[in-house]
């Protein structure tokens, strides 16, 4: 594995080095750094500039400590300058080492290549083989290349190469499966984050709604729990309304039953009237037939009509009248059944029970 080194520090004369040097603004060369002048306190002549309660020994100690501080600052500056020089030298040595390492690696690669070429030249000899006809399974007419650069490879080498290819393919498929699972987890996490964002927006909207809600007296009473009496009154009113509606419904049902019974009675009366009218119509038809017969007899006497033909016509006419009466009775029964069926959609029909009870 190739060894890595930290980045080389900038040269001492570069702006970066000057920015790293805390004393670069006070000196510009690499020689001996100038020492600040000592503190010259006007003592004892200048007593006016020194506090009255300060001891002269304390002033001397202060002056000695200041000189020590100045000496230490000068030493720090000198060591910082030395550190910058050493960093510059280290960067130069690292660059030389990298270059030498690259040259060494290139020489090793060249030597390895030459050794491989030598081994290939030593063992890859031109040999002639005599094979049976049919062993070469390549159709030379369909192959564009003459296969002059073909090589004879052992089956074991091909099997080893195929095994390595399969192993690499399986490893690649496994890494792709891991990548797929990882991406699936990422998508699931993003989906959960979006859900949480939506829930946070919903909570914020609900909070804003309740903050801006106009609080009325009823709402205050509901919040405080003092609307139990009002709810009880409302429940009592609703129960009374429900009872009243139930009574009205029962009255309407009784009224509809009475109207239904009256309707069935009227139907029965109309049926009786229709039966009487049918009989009257038949009587009228008979009388009309008799009169027509009398007229035809008179005309037959005048025209000498055969009596047998007149009897045949009378039989045919009577059959037609009976057929018409039967057809009208069937139509009336069908209409009655249809009326009962339409009435049963909303109200129960008592026609059958009424007829059975009265023997109709």
């Amino acid at each position: 594995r190739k060894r890595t080194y930290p980045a080389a520090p900038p040269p001492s004369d570069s702006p970066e080095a000057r920015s790293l040097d805390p004393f670069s603004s006070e000196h510009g060369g690499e020689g001996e750094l100038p020492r600040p002048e000592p503190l010259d306190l006007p003592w004892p002549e200048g007593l006016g500039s020194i506090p009255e309660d300060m001891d002269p020994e304390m002033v001397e100690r202060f002056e000695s400590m200041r000189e020590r501080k100045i000496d230490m600052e000068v030493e720090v500056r000198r060591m910082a300058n030395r550190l910058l020089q050493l960093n510059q030298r280290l960067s130069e040595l690292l660059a030389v080492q990298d270059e030498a390492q690259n040259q060494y690696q290139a020489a090793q690669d060249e030597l390895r290549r030459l050794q491989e070429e030598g081994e290939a030249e030593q063992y890859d000899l031109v040999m002639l083989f005599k094979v049976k006809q049919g062993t070469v399974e390549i159709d030379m007419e369909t192959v564009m290349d003459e296969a002059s650069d073909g090589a004879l490879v052992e089956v074991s080498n091909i099997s080893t190469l195929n095994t390595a290819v399969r192993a690499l393919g399986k490893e690649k498929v496994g890494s792709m499966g891991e990548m797929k699972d990882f991406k699936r987890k990422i998508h699931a996490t993003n989906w959960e984050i979006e859900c949480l964002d939506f829930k946070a927006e919903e909570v914020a909207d609900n909070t804003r709604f309740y903050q801006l809600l106009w609080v009325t007296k009823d709402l205050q009473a509901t919040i405080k729990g003092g609307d139990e009496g009002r709810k009880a009154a409302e429940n009592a009113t609703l129960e009374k309304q429900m009872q009243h509606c139930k009574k009205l419904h029962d009255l309407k049902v009784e009224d509809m039953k009475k109207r239904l019974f009256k309707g069935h009675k009227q139907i029965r009366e109309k049926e009786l009237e229709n039966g009487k009218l049918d009989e009257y119509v038949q009587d009228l038809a008979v009388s009309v037939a008799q009169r027509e017969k009398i007229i035809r007899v008179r005309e037959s006497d005048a025209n000498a009509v055969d009596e047998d033909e007149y009897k045949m016509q009378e039989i045919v006419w009577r059959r037609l009248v009976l057929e018409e009466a039967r057809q009208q009775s069937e139509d009336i029964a069908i209409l009655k059944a249809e009326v009962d069926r339409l009435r049963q959609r909303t109200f129960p029909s008592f026609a059958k029970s009424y007829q059975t009870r009265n023997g109709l």
Side-chain angles (χ1 to χ4, degrees):
R1 184 176 181 184
K2 188 176 179 181
R3 186 177 180 183
T4 58
Y5 298 92
S12 59
D13 56 349
S14 64
E16 291 81 359
R18 288 196 296 271
S19 64
L20 294 174
D21 186 7
F23 310 103
S24 60
S25 62
E26 299 181 4
H27 63 88
E30 298 179 357
E32 187 67 24
L33 299 176
R35 189 176 185 279
E37 294 295 332
L39 180 63
D40 187 10
L41 294 175
W43 181 266
E45 291 80 10
L47 294 176
S49 61
I50 299 176
E52 297 177 356
D53 55 350
M54 183 176 290
D55 192 4
E57 295 180 0
M58 187 179 296
V59 175
E60 292 178 359
R61 290 178 61 186
F62 175 74
E63 185 177 358
S64 62
M65 291 178 68
R66 181 176 182 275
E67 289 178 357
R68 289 174 58 189
K69 177 179 179 293
I70 292 172
D71 293 338
M72 292 179 67
E73 289 179 353
V74 171
E75 184 66 20
V76 169
R77 294 176 185 175
R78 187 177 65 80
M79 295 303 294
N81 192 9
R82 181 62 178 168
L83 178 61
L84 291 176
Q85 293 177 1
L86 292 176
N87 287 334
Q88 184 178 4
R89 182 59 179 169
L90 177 62
S91 64
E92 294 176 357
L93 292 176
L94 290 176
V96 172
Q97 184 181 3
D98 292 339
E99 185 178 358
Q101 185 71 21
N102 294 332
Q103 292 179 0
Y104 173 76
Q105 189 67 30
Q108 287 290 335
D109 295 340
E110 185 67 19
L111 178 60
R112 191 180 299 106
R113 187 179 63 80
L114 291 175
Q115 289 177 355
E116 291 177 356
E117 289 181 358
E119 291 178 358
E121 291 292 338
Q122 183 179 359
Y123 294 104
D124 192 5
L125 302 178
V126 178
M127 299 180 66
L128 298 177
F129 293 92
K130 183 178 180 181
V131 296
K132 295 181 180 181
Q133 185 178 2
T135 303
V136 180
E137 298 179 357
I138 300 176
D139 190 2
M140 301 303 297
E141 295 180 357
T142 59
V143 178
M144 301 299 296
D145 193 3
E146 296 180 358
S148 60
D149 57 347
L152 186 63
V153 184
E154 294 184 2
V155 178
S156 60
N157 295 335
I158 298 297
S159 301
T160 304
L161 182 61
N162 291 336
T163 303
V165 170
R166 291 192 186 95
L168 291 175
K170 187 179 293 184
E171 183 179 358
K172 183 67 175 177
V173 171
S175 63
M176 292 176 67
E178 293 178 358
M179 188 183 301
K180 181 186 68 176
D181 297 337
F182 185 72
K183 288 184 178 180
R184 183 186 297 126
K185 292 180 181 179
I186 291 174
H187 291 311
T189 305
N190 293 332
W191 182 79
E192 291 178 358
I193 291 172
E194 290 180 359
C195 289
L196 293 176
D197 292 337
F198 284 128
K199 289 182 180 179
E201 291 180 0
E202 184 179 2
V203 170
D205 293 337
N206 292 333
T207 304
R208 190 182 303 107
F209 172 75
Y210 287 116
Q211 287 178 351
L212 300 177
L213 182 63
W214 184 265
V215 180
T216 59
K217 292 183 178 179
D218 296 336
L219 184 59
Q220 290 179 356
T222 303
I223 293 172
K224 293 179 180 179
D227 58 343
E228 296 180 356
R230 183 170 58 84
K231 289 184 178 179
E234 290 180 358
N235 293 332
T237 304
L238 292 174
E239 289 178 358
K240 290 180 180 180
Q241 290 180 357
M242 184 176 63
Q243 293 177 0
H244 181 67
C245 292
K246 186 176 181 181
K247 290 180 180 179
L248 290 178
H249 176 71
D250 295 337
L251 292 175
K252 288 182 179 180
V253 169
E254 293 294 333
D255 185 33
M256 294 303 295
K257 287 181 179 180
K258 291 179 180 179
R259 293 174 62 184
L260 181 62
F261 180 76
K262 185 177 180 181
H264 283 294
K265 184 177 180 180
Q266 292 178 357
I267 290 172
R268 186 173 60 81
E269 292 177 355
K270 294 297 181 181
E271 288 177 353
L272 293 175
E273 291 180 359
N274 290 333
K276 292 180 180 179
L277 291 174
D278 290 339
E279 293 177 358
Y280 181 70
V281 168
Q282 290 180 1
D283 295 338
L284 292 177
V286 171
S287 63
V288 169
Q290 290 177 358
R291 292 185 180 183
E292 289 179 353
K293 180 179 179 181
I294 293 170
I295 292 171
R296 283 197 300 272
V297 167
R298 290 177 180 177
E299 290 179 354
S300 62
D301 293 339
N303 298 324
V305 180
D306 192 3
E307 186 68 20
D308 295 335
E309 183 179 358
Y310 173 74
K311 290 180 179 181
M312 181 62 67
Q313 290 179 357
E314 184 178 0
I315 293 170
V316 170
W317 180 83
R318 184 175 180 80
R319 185 179 295 277
L320 291 175
V321 171
L322 294 175
E323 185 69 23
E324 185 69 21
R326 187 180 61 80
Q327 186 67 29
Q328 290 180 358
S329 300
E330 291 179 357
D331 292 341
I332 290 171
I334 292 171
L335 292 175
K336 286 172 62 179
E338 185 67 19
V339 170
D340 292 337
R341 187 182 66 80
L342 293 176
R343 190 177 289 109
Q344 287 175 0
R345 288 184 179 180
T346 308
F347 304 103
S349 178
F350 301 97
K352 185 180 294 186
S353 60
Y354 181 79
Q355 292 178 1
T356 305
R357 186 173 66 252
N358 292 279
L360 297 177

